[in-house]
Amino acid sequence: MNVEIETTVNGKLVHASVPARLHVADFLRQHLGLTGTHIGCEQGACGMCTVMVDGEAVKSCLMLACQLDGRHVRTVESLAEDDRLNPLQQAFEQEHALQCGFCSPGFLMTATALAHQGKQPCRAEIREEIAGVLCRCTGYENVVTAIERWFAEHPQGAREDERIEDARTT
């Protein structure tokens, strides 16, 4: 059985007919070609598939695509603009917060969702927030430092992202 949905993904309105049991991660990757959403454990434990739904970090392997009807989704592909890294991605590059890069989309989207909460988190709060994304390469130190740096240098980061999102939907 298919379900008709209308959702906004990275600022673009999407109409789709999706199987009732299709997960968001598979919808994004297979139906929309947004392969930046990585699939790891498919059980919600690793956080590799984290995206934003209505401003909240969501593990896309645990949500059904039919639940996206009427909602706004952001994937890691929404962060860069005109092939330029956004400030958060630049902080990851500058702080050497990447190694293999498989977990990076999960960290980037978790940090972006954290910014949408409108607070300035301390290092311990950043660590707690990103604990849902597993990484075997980095040891987390540089990831935390990159996110901390981004918040320090761009305290209005969430508002900037909202303006970009608003501009794309108009």
Side-chain angles (χ1 to χ4, degrees):
M1 179 174 114
N2 279 0
V3 178
E4 300 296 319
I5 63 169
E6 181 177 288
T7 184
T8 302
V9 179
N10 297 337
K12 295 180 183 170
L13 190 60
V14 174
H15 299 276
S17 179
V18 297
R21 297 178 57 106
L22 181 71
H23 289 106
V24 170
D26 294 324
F27 170 67
L28 295 170
R29 292 178 60 81
Q30 297 168 9
H31 292 253
L32 301 183
L34 298 171
T35 57
T37 301
H38 293 162
I39 298 174
C41 69
E42 297 186 76
Q43 298 173 356
C46 73
M48 307 298 172
C49 67
T50 302
V51 298
M52 288 175 55
V53 178
D54 294 336
E56 301 281 326
V58 172
K59 293 178 180 177
S60 63
C61 71
L62 296 180
M63 184 177 192
L64 297 174
C66 62
Q67 293 176 286
L68 295 178
D69 190 41
R71 300 178 84 180
H72 294 267
V73 180
R74 284 190 69 190
T75 69
V76 71
E77 287 90 350
S78 73
L79 298 181
E81 191 171 336
D82 298 326
D83 292 330
R84 288 186 326 246
L85 299 178
N86 82 347
L88 176 59
Q89 292 169 311
Q90 289 172 17
F92 266 64
E93 179 184 48
Q94 292 161 349
E95 294 297 335
H96 307 287
L98 307 161
Q99 284 191 24
C100 82
F102 195 75
C103 62
S104 299
F107 283 126
L108 292 166
M109 296 314 294
T110 300
T112 301
L114 179 59
H116 278 272
Q117 294 176 8
K119 63 180 183 176
Q120 188 77 15
C122 68
R123 190 171 183 84
E125 290 170 320
I126 292 169
R127 234 182 223 296
E128 185 176 327
E129 289 291 329
I130 67 167
V133 181
L134 300 180
C135 176
R136 294 185 172 153
C137 300
T138 68
Y140 295 92
E141 240 2 82
N142 292 0
V143 172
V144 174
T145 300
I147 295 170
E148 186 177 49
R149 175 183 185 158
W150 176 60
F151 271 104
E153 293 177 358
H154 299 89
Q156 302 300 320
R159 289 193 196 102
E160 289 171 19
D161 283 344
E162 287 168 5
R163 281 198 302 274
I164 290 167
E165 186 69 20
D166 289 342
R168 289 181 181 160
T169 58
T170 56

